[in-house]
Amino acid sequence: MALTDLEIAQACVLDPIDKVAAKAGIPADALEPYGRTKAKLSQEYLDSLDAPDGKLILVTAINPTKAGEGKSTTTVGLGDALNLLGKNTMMALREPSLGPVFGLKGGAAGGGYAQVVPMEDINLHFTGDMHAITTANNLLSAVIDNHIHQGNELGIDPDRITFRRCLDMNDRELRQVNIGLGPKANGIKREDGFNITVASEVMAALCLASDLQDLKKRFGDMLVGYSFDGEPVYARDLKVEGAMAMVMKDAIKPNLVQTLEHNPVLIHGGPFANIAHGCNSVIATRTALKLADYVVTEAGFGADLGAEKFLDIKCRLAGLHPSAVVIVATIRALKQHGGVAFEDLKEENIPALKAGIANLEKHIETAQAFGLPYVIAINEFATDTAAEIGALETWCRENGHPMSLSQVWAKGGEGALDLAEKVIALTEQPNDFEVLYDEKLPIEEKIRIIARRVYGADDVVFTDEAKEQIAEFEKHGWDRLPVCMAKTQMSLSDDPTKMGRPEHFTITVRELRPSLGAGFIVALTGKVLTMPGLPKHPSALDMDIDGEGKITGLF
Amino acid sequence: MALTDLEIAQACVLDPIDKVAAKAGIPADALEPYGRTKAKLSQEYLDSLDAPDGKLILVTAINPTKAGEGKSTTTVGLGDALNLLGKNTMMALREPSLGPVFGLKGGAAGGGYAQVVPMEDINLHFTGDMHAITTANNLLSAVIDNHIHQGNELGIDPDRITFRRCLDMNDRELRQVNIGLGPKANGIKREDGFNITVASEVMAALCLASDLQDLKKRFGDMLVGYSFDGEPVYARDLKVEGAMAMVMKDAIKPNLVQTLEHNPVLIHGGPFANIAHGCNSVIATRTALKLADYVVTEAGFGADLGAEKFLDIKCRLAGLHPSAVVIVATIRALKQHGGVAFEDLKEENIPALKAGIANLEKHIETAQAFGLPYVIAINEFATDTAAEIGALETWCRENGHPMSLSQVWAKGGEGALDLAEKVIALTEQPNDFEVLYDEKLPIEEKIRIIARRVYGADDVVFTDEAKEQIAEFEKHGWDRLPVCMAKTQMSLSDDPTKMGRPEHFTITVRELRPSLGAGFIVALTGKVLTMPGLPKHPSALDMDIDGEGKITGLF
């Protein structure tokens, strides 16, 4: 029987973290260790880095099946392969959220022989960053309600508080709650709800901040709600941004860990990929670029969401210039885009595969639209047939698209040597990277550009509510920010059932939310769940730890 | 102007944690470092310890003023003094809760020149233990509600769930909440509330557990509520104790830090002193006893609560045998017990002081009741007059009570050399330590023994609700556990306005709660707030961190 991800990870004898650091050129005294195999990099060291930037490689994907395409796994395997080729390479990844670990999804540190370790720690509390975010978020919430309870000098309207509490747990019970019940000493009665911590604006702000002082300013800029007069109230009006920044003093430092092949990885920050931008922190990416010649990173969901936001939001705000894009696809997902049901994806189906390639083609066009060279990485599954892989290879060759079969899940870095060579070649060409829109354009215009050029939509429909919000945002001067699209990841359209490459459709924007601390406007095209629930049989019920500290049931 | 606690702490050049460890005889490879100046001790190392136990010294206090008597400060100063006298001494302290740091109370790592450092880290996230407790608690909550939402096989009555959610924040809004509002997908609608994390039963269980497997069993034993048939439902019925233990895999290891004088301190666990027993973990105390010849520890609130529960609960369950008790008193508190208002405590008032000594006398009798030798430590304040201190000294001398003036706040260990010498002398006498009651007695009997012998009450009144609960507990076989009294700390009685040594009073027990995972029955004599609120001007609003990472406003 095949080993589980956890068993593979537990069989790895980890290098001490100072040895991993040395490989990345980081001196031991720059480390703030968390145990023997995890460390944060000290602020002094981060401030001292001034080498020229390495090359930035983005790993993105087609619209996935519900099992995911394997972006993290490909990112880790590609990074290991570049190291095998003698290239000084680091990876920059997102931190997993604790909540889904207890549900169905499990952990998020790669898979098979392309994993980041210590897997258990990374998926549990890691170095405490998530908990610091929860604390900063809920401190702001407590201060908002306390301000109202203690006299409400700012005249905050309890019915118009937009900032929610958060918890790093899959807990549907907390999506919508009434708080402040009971006697008057229990505070004001109002409706609230909890987001999962990765959906907190504190997380998005952390991931786009350049340093702690910038993060403090972003905290101050957060909109918490409106006064009875309809005026915006910001966190800075409550004077709480200093304490929030203090709470984040360690969380702002990136975390160093290693792959199964002992190569250095920075894991730092992991915002939602719908109501936020879905990328690890700017600080981690910038640090890796100073330390390594090649930096492999990823962005959440498919390229329509992940790559677009990585490029239009993160690269724009941080002044990053990527060198290449890897588009991960699976034979399984291509067949699903060609009309095959999830249960039947194990069966060979060449016609469906060929039909489903249309989805891949659209994401290729997206890379081209941004002016970036790309390579397709087929993340191999055991159920893929030679005929299926051959059919895809033929299409790629005939259409002039570079492509590589990636076997990192089964083989680690050895499984991506060809991919790594192709990526190196891409990064040696100059490119014409450009963001898709000028952020000073009106909000509607920015959304139309994304919907047409990235999703292939004919047009965008704005609901009356959305139009009113846009007018309101313009009044407050919030309209000159990049747009963060919240859309289903399952389809290029806003309808999760439309597979392949939908045509002649419109995108409906139902609601807009100002994430002023993060520095973007969220455009919601449907209901977005910011607090997941647990399934009928949560993974947590199968987890255990024995007398020797060995964990089972985590995956 | 006098330096603040934070300024004194920031002026300290900390020893690297391996140097502190070496002083305690702990090898470097037994450390799991968290940064450069904090570490957990590895499980392998803890398991390997088999030296004979050192001597255990409990620091307790009279009923305090609202500013506290300085138990932590005295514990740290006495430990430093014992080290100055060449005695191999460690301290075992409670972990501060993050919530009150943002409120009024500030941190809890000693004060003046008797502090534990790094003060900022200890008062903020420290090594993440609190956050792990929050996670374990809320995982259980999410699983309970999810079980009901997904079909409720166990038939749990949503109106009789006794286990609450928690958060490490002072947030009155969360004391009483309605959860699961909105559509059916948001789960079941019911009433719930959040405790502050230190009031979670997970914390109490951690602090009484002997190791992780014992903690897992305690988690399984926790009562979560009742079925529609009125039968108890335990966490083990939900099969979640394995995941909860996994979440606590690092939190169960004690944390090593240092005093301002670079002496080793274990800080681990910090349960509420009302609905829980208010002492650091058994694991930390046992570890310190293996490592040091003298271990100084503390228990929350005055001796009527803290010492009684330390001795009757912690020492009973862990088989600990203390060697001496230090009873901390301030001239200020004695004057308050003699009838002086809090605002007037700065003024000399010998008659009030003499009257207030009755309170101290009762706590001396408590130490005697447990068969333990004691010394009175007067924690000196700048406002104390020589005449006041002289009057107290005279009373002690005339009545044969050992006493020492402690100046640790101003002088550190140097300020407690006399106290340390007196403590050493006490520990050299054999003692007749005995718990006050047999835990197999009926619940009412156990409570009567505590109320009469420790509080000086005439009798105990049980409300009808309490009587019904006792009958219910007996039915389930929960009555043979020690009792954890929840009573005001301000008075020996259950009326916080009764100062001095009240006489001819009864204690009213209004409610009982089974803390089956912790291993005790809580008896509530009044309303106990398990979720504090923020004051009109929370300390958080004055906190900040600058570009060099320097924190201000934390105290």
Side-chain angles (χ1 to χ4, degrees):
Chain A
M1 208 178 113
L3 295 174
T4 64
D5 287 354
L6 178 61
E7 286 164 342
I8 293 169
Q10 285 174 338
C12 174
V13 180
L14 277 71
D15 275 350
I17 198 63
D18 50 351
K19 191 173 166 193
V20 178
K23 195 163 182 176
I26 304 167
D29 66 5
L31 300 179
E32 295 176 359
Y34 283 69
R36 300 267 155 195
T37 56
K38 312 180 292 286
K40 284 186 170 283
L41 305 187
S42 76
Q43 194 57 53
E44 299 66 38
Y45 179 67
L46 295 174
D47 294 343
S48 76
L49 291 172
D50 67 350
D53 279 359
K55 291 179 172 178
L56 181 59
I57 300 142
L58 171 68
V59 175
T60 184
I62 64 170
N63 296 100
T65 71
K66 65 185 178 190
E69 293 304 274
K71 287 189 305 289
S72 301
T73 306
T74 305
T75 302
V76 172
L78 174 57
D80 280 339
L82 286 162
N83 274 292
L84 283 175
L85 294 176
K87 300 298 183 188
N88 171 14
T89 305
M90 286 184 84
M91 287 137 269
L93 294 176
R94 291 170 293 163
E95 290 186 59
S97 169
L98 237 173
V101 168
F102 300 126
L104 258 189
K105 185 174 172 291
Y113 289 88
Q115 288 189 61
V116 184
V117 282
M119 183 269 212
E120 299 97 318
D121 289 9
I122 293 169
N123 281 309
L124 295 175
H125 310 289
F126 200 26
T127 59
D129 297 343
M130 292 285 168
H131 296 314
I133 292 168
T134 305
T135 303
N137 183 111
N138 293 333
L139 171 60
L140 175 51
S141 288
V143 166
I144 294 168
D145 286 317
N146 188 61
H147 179 90
I148 300 173
H149 174 72
Q150 303 280 3
N152 201 6
E153 211 174 301
L154 292 170
I156 300 171
D157 183 347
D159 293 333
R160 293 196 69 196
I161 296 172
T162 53
F163 191 83
R164 289 156 56 95
R165 286 172 169 78
C166 79
L167 210 59
D168 196 11
M169 186 60 63
N170 278 20
D171 192 347
R172 67 168 63 76
E173 289 290 315
L174 298 178
R175 284 178 190 153
Q176 193 179 327
V177 298
N178 282 335
I179 59 174
L181 304 183
K184 192 155 182 283
N186 288 1
I188 52 156
K189 286 172 190 45
R190 70 175 184 94
E191 195 174 280
D192 195 14
F194 285 68
N195 295 331
I196 191 164
T197 298
V198 283
S200 164
E201 191 181 344
V202 172
M203 172 62 94
L206 168 68
C207 287
L208 290 168
S210 50
D211 59 25
L212 191 58
Q213 296 307 300
D214 179 43
L215 182 58
K216 192 200 296 183
K217 189 191 168 301
R218 289 169 183 274
F219 287 158
D221 288 345
M222 285 183 182
L223 180 73
V224 302
Y226 297 86
S227 70
F228 290 114
D229 301 336
E231 289 305 310
V233 179
Y234 303 96
R236 62 177 171 267
D237 297 326
L238 292 158
K239 300 186 174 45
V240 67
E241 71 272 23
M244 290 173 73
M246 175 189 76
V247 162
M248 298 291 289
K249 76 181 177 69
D250 296 308
I252 197 156
K253 301 169 194 162
N255 307 292
L256 179 70
V257 288
Q258 64 194 288
T259 67
L260 292 174
E261 300 181 14
H262 313 300
N263 294 311
V265 182
L266 291 179
I267 299 195
H268 194 219
F272 251 34
N274 42 41
I275 61 152
H277 62 294
C279 313
N280 67 262
S281 77
V282 164
I283 291 174
T285 304
R286 280 188 179 151
T287 303
L289 286 169
K290 295 284 172 213
L291 289 166
D293 297 325
Y294 295 85
V295 174
V296 190
T297 191
E298 54 164 354
F301 292 170
D304 50 333
L305 288 160
E308 190 273 315
K309 295 199 263 194
F310 175 82
L311 298 166
D312 274 333
I313 296 177
K314 179 173 172 176
C315 289
R316 178 198 307 263
L317 296 178
L320 301 172
H321 190 117
S323 294
V325 174
V326 177
I327 304 172
V328 180
T330 58
I331 297 289
R332 290 164 53 85
L334 291 172
K335 286 188 285 189
Q336 182 168 295
H337 283 296
V340 177
F342 186 76
E343 304 72 49
D344 301 327
L345 292 177
K346 289 181 299 294
E347 311 301 325
E348 181 178 284
N349 191 332
I350 309 276
L353 172 74
K354 285 184 176 166
I357 285 175
N359 183 269
L360 170 61
E361 196 170 24
K362 183 71 193 93
H363 293 297
I364 291 171
E365 290 171 19
T366 296
Q368 291 168 333
F370 281 99
L372 289 171
Y374 59 87
V375 56
I376 299 151
I378 303 300
N379 181 25
E380 192 183 48
F381 271 66
T383 53
D384 299 348
T385 69
E388 288 174 328
I389 291 170
L392 182 57
E393 277 173 339
T394 303
W395 179 84
C396 287
R397 197 175 50 245
E398 286 176 0
N399 292 277
H401 301 305
M403 182 267 213
S404 182
L405 184 66
S406 169
Q407 302 175 309
V408 297
W409 190 88
K411 299 182 184 172
E414 287 285 343
L417 291 174
D418 175 67
L419 177 62
E421 278 167 0
K422 285 176 172 150
V423 164
I424 293 168
L426 292 181
T427 64
E428 276 158 14
Q429 340 169 350
N431 72 54
D432 307 315
F433 169 61
E434 226 179 347
V435 294
L436 277 199
Y437 57 82
D438 179 344
E439 78 262 29
K440 294 191 186 62
L441 287 174
I443 291 174
E444 292 96 324
E445 271 315 290
K446 289 182 277 205
I447 296 174
R448 278 205 178 88
I449 290 170
I450 296 167
R452 287 178 177 156
R453 297 197 62 192
V454 179
Y455 310 157
D458 287 341
D459 201 4
V460 180
V461 176
F462 294 87
T463 63
D464 288 346
E465 188 193 356
K467 284 181 195 162
E468 277 168 33
Q469 289 170 324
I470 290 172
E472 168 99 13
F473 291 8
E474 285 171 349
K475 197 178 81 183
H476 299 306
W478 301 336
D479 54 321
R480 296 175 153 234
L481 295 171
V483 171
C484 178
M485 296 298 295
K487 183 182 74 67
T488 176
Q489 62 162 327
M490 306 309 288
S491 169
L492 279 159
S493 76
D494 58 4
D495 175 352
T497 65
K498 285 195 177 141
M499 294 288 103
R501 180 179 183 158
E503 288 187 316
H504 309 302
F505 65 93
T506 57
I507 292 282
T508 305
V509 172
R510 296 166 198 282
E511 186 190 343
L512 292 113
R513 291 183 194 165
S515 272
L516 306 178
F520 50 67
I521 300 296
V522 183
L524 292 102
T525 62
K527 269 263 172 262
V528 173
L529 213 56
T530 54
M531 171 54 92
L534 290 172
K536 176 134 179 119
H537 186 87
S539 307
L541 310 195
D542 303 318
M543 292 174 182
D544 202 3
I545 184 164
D546 71 12
E548 274 69 51
K550 190 176 160 144
I551 288 173
T552 46
L554 183 66
F555 65 95
Chain B
M1 209 178 113
L3 294 175
T4 64
D5 286 354
L6 178 61
E7 286 164 341
I8 292 169
Q10 286 174 339
C12 175
V13 179
L14 276 70
D15 275 350
I17 198 63
D18 51 350
K19 190 172 168 194
V20 178
K23 194 161 183 178
I26 304 168
D29 66 6
L31 299 179
E32 296 177 357
Y34 283 69
R36 300 267 155 194
T37 56
K38 312 180 289 286
K40 284 186 172 283
L41 305 187
S42 76
Q43 194 59 52
E44 299 68 38
Y45 179 67
L46 296 174
D47 294 343
S48 75
L49 291 172
D50 67 349
D53 280 358
K55 291 179 171 177
L56 181 58
I57 299 142
L58 171 68
V59 175
T60 185
I62 63 168
N63 296 99
T65 70
K66 65 186 178 190
E69 293 304 273
K71 287 189 303 290
S72 302
T73 305
T74 304
T75 303
V76 172
L78 173 58
D80 280 339
L82 286 161
N83 273 292
L84 283 176
L85 294 176
K87 299 298 182 188
N88 170 14
T89 304
M90 285 184 85
M91 288 137 268
L93 294 176
R94 290 170 292 163
E95 291 188 56
S97 170
L98 237 173
V101 167
F102 300 126
L104 256 189
K105 184 172 171 292
Y113 288 89
Q115 287 190 63
V116 184
V117 282
M119 182 269 211
E120 299 98 318
D121 290 8
I122 293 169
N123 281 310
L124 294 175
H125 311 289
F126 198 25
T127 59
D129 296 344
M130 291 286 167
H131 297 313
I133 292 167
T134 304
T135 303
N137 184 110
N138 293 332
L139 171 60
L140 175 53
S141 289
V143 167
I144 295 168
D145 286 317
N146 188 62
H147 179 89
I148 300 174
H149 174 72
Q150 304 279 2
N152 202 7
E153 210 175 300
L154 292 170
I156 300 171
D157 184 347
D159 293 333
R160 291 197 69 194
I161 296 172
T162 52
F163 191 82
R164 291 156 54 96
R165 286 173 170 78
C166 78
L167 210 59
D168 195 12
M169 186 61 63
N170 279 19
D171 192 348
R172 68 168 64 75
E173 290 289 316
L174 298 178
R175 283 177 192 156
Q176 191 178 328
V177 298
N178 282 335
I179 59 174
L181 305 184
K184 192 155 182 283
N186 288 0
I188 53 157
K189 287 171 189 45
R190 69 175 185 90
E191 195 174 277
D192 195 14
F194 286 68
N195 296 331
I196 191 164
T197 298
V198 284
S200 165
E201 191 181 342
V202 173
M203 171 62 95
L206 168 69
C207 288
L208 289 167
S210 50
D211 58 26
L212 190 58
Q213 296 307 302
D214 179 43
L215 182 59
K216 193 201 295 183
K217 190 192 167 299
R218 289 170 183 274
F219 287 159
D221 288 345
M222 283 181 183
L223 180 73
V224 302
Y226 297 86
S227 70
F228 290 115
D229 301 336
E231 289 305 309
V233 179
Y234 304 97
R236 61 176 172 268
D237 298 325
L238 292 158
K239 302 186 174 40
V240 66
E241 71 273 23
M244 291 172 73
M246 177 188 74
V247 162
M248 297 291 289
K249 76 180 177 71
D250 295 309
I252 197 155
K253 301 168 194 163
N255 306 292
L256 179 69
V257 288
Q258 63 193 289
T259 66
L260 291 174
E261 300 180 14
H262 313 299
N263 293 312
V265 181
L266 291 179
I267 299 196
H268 195 221
F272 252 35
N274 42 41
I275 61 150
H277 61 295
C279 314
N280 66 262
S281 77
V282 165
I283 292 174
T285 303
R286 280 188 180 151
T287 303
L289 286 169
K290 294 285 172 214
L291 289 166
D293 297 325
Y294 295 85
V295 174
V296 190
T297 191
E298 54 164 354
F301 292 170
D304 50 334
L305 288 160
E308 189 273 315
K309 296 199 262 194
F310 175 83
L311 299 166
D312 274 333
I313 297 177
K314 178 173 173 175
C315 290
R316 178 199 307 262
L317 297 178
L320 300 172
H321 190 117
S323 295
V325 175
V326 176
I327 304 171
V328 181
T330 58
I331 297 290
R332 290 164 52 85
L334 291 172
K335 285 189 286 189
Q336 182 169 294
H337 283 296
V340 177
F342 187 78
E343 304 71 48
D344 301 327
L345 293 176
K346 289 181 299 294
E347 310 302 323
E348 181 177 285
N349 191 331
I350 308 276
L353 172 74
K354 285 184 176 169
I357 285 174
N359 183 269
L360 170 61
E361 195 169 25
K362 182 73 193 89
H363 294 296
I364 291 171
E365 290 170 19
T366 295
Q368 291 168 333
F370 281 99
L372 289 171
Y374 57 88
V375 55
I376 299 152
I378 302 302
N379 181 23
E380 192 184 48
F381 271 67
T383 51
D384 299 347
T385 68
E388 288 174 328
I389 292 171
L392 182 56
E393 277 173 338
T394 302
W395 179 85
C396 288
R397 194 174 52 245
E398 286 176 0
N399 293 277
H401 300 307
M403 181 269 213
S404 180
L405 183 66
S406 167
Q407 302 175 309
V408 296
W409 190 88
K411 298 181 185 174
E414 286 286 344
L417 292 174
D418 174 66
L419 176 62
E421 279 168 0
K422 285 176 173 151
V423 164
I424 294 168
L426 292 181
T427 65
E428 276 158 15
Q429 342 172 346
N431 71 55
D432 308 315
F433 168 60
E434 226 179 346
V435 294
L436 276 198
Y437 57 82
D438 179 345
E439 78 263 31
K440 294 190 187 62
L441 288 174
I443 292 176
E444 292 95 325
E445 270 316 290
K446 289 183 277 205
I447 295 173
R448 277 205 179 88
I449 290 171
I450 296 168
R452 286 178 176 154
R453 297 199 60 194
V454 179
Y455 311 157
D458 286 342
D459 201 3
V460 181
V461 176
F462 294 87
T463 63
D464 288 346
E465 188 193 356
K467 283 180 194 161
E468 279 167 33
Q469 290 169 324
I470 290 171
E472 168 100 12
F473 291 8
E474 286 171 351
K475 197 178 82 184
H476 299 305
W478 302 336
D479 54 321
R480 295 173 155 234
L481 295 170
V483 171
C484 178
M485 296 298 294
K487 183 183 73 69
T488 177
Q489 62 162 328
M490 306 309 288
S491 170
L492 279 160
S493 76
D494 57 5
D495 175 352
T497 65
K498 285 194 177 142
M499 293 288 106
R501 180 178 184 159
E503 288 187 316
H504 307 303
F505 65 94
T506 58
I507 293 282
T508 305
V509 172
R510 298 168 196 279
E511 187 189 342
L512 292 113
R513 293 184 192 164
S515 273
L516 306 178
F520 50 67
I521 300 295
V522 183
L524 292 103
T525 62
K527 269 262 172 263
V528 173
L529 213 56
T530 55
M531 173 53 93
L534 291 171
K536 176 134 181 122
H537 186 87
S539 307
L541 309 194
D542 303 318
M543 292 175 181
D544 202 2
I545 182 163
D546 70 13
E548 273 69 52
K550 191 178 158 145
I551 287 173
T552 47
L554 183 65
F555 65 96

